[in-house]
Amino acid sequence: MALFFDQEWFDAKLKEAGRTRDDVAAALRLSRGQVDEIWKDQRELAPQEVAALAALLGKTPAETANKAGVSTPVPAPPKGGDAAIMAKLDEMDARLIRIERAVADLQSLILATRNG
């Protein structure tokens, strides 16, 4: 179990990114209850979860692991030329998330104007 999960830091970073714990659950492919266990220091993040959470927050895996608790593993960097590919994929993933959020916002606006 990770010790000293920094709930305030993660909540602040989620807010800055316009995200919620439900977004964390989706990104980590976990239930909301499992995410709540992470926040309560009852569940440790796996290396791939650290990487996914870091990408969601726009932070480095090392910083994310540090704030997730003293025993949280930092994912190993990709080997050789894979680093550039992984960085590009992370960038594309972040852009896709922003596009999906914009589409959802537009759908809400359209529905609001039709119903109101």
Side-chain angles (χ1 to χ4, degrees):
M1 170 173 30
L3 294 175
F4 310 116
F5 183 87
D6 192 342
Q7 293 179 17
E8 291 178 11
W9 185 86
F10 280 98
D11 285 334
K13 297 308 170 197
L14 284 173
K15 186 175 181 179
E16 286 174 17
R19 300 290 183 182
T20 67
R21 290 185 193 178
D22 290 328
D23 295 322
V24 173
L28 300 184
R29 296 184 177 134
L30 299 173
S31 70
R32 175 58 194 267
Q34 290 172 309
V35 170
D36 290 341
E37 288 174 354
I38 293 168
W39 253 248
K40 292 186 282 186
D41 240 358
Q42 296 173 340
R43 184 182 187 286
E44 185 173 324
L45 290 166
Q48 69 274 11
E49 293 170 332
V50 171
L53 185 54
L56 181 73
L57 298 175
K59 302 297 175 188
T60 66
E63 181 180 18
T64 303
N66 181 50
K67 296 295 185 175
V70 295
S71 65
T72 303
V74 177
K79 296 180 181 177
D82 292 344
I85 294 169
M86 293 306 297
K88 189 64 174 175
L89 286 172
D90 287 343
E91 176 188 327
M92 291 170 62
D93 186 50
R95 289 175 62 195
L96 180 59
I97 290 168
R98 288 192 304 272
I99 290 168
E100 289 172 340
R101 183 171 292 275
V103 168
D105 290 344
L106 288 170
Q107 287 174 330
S108 294
L109 287 171
I110 290 168
L111 290 174
T113 56
R114 286 183 182 170
N115 296 329

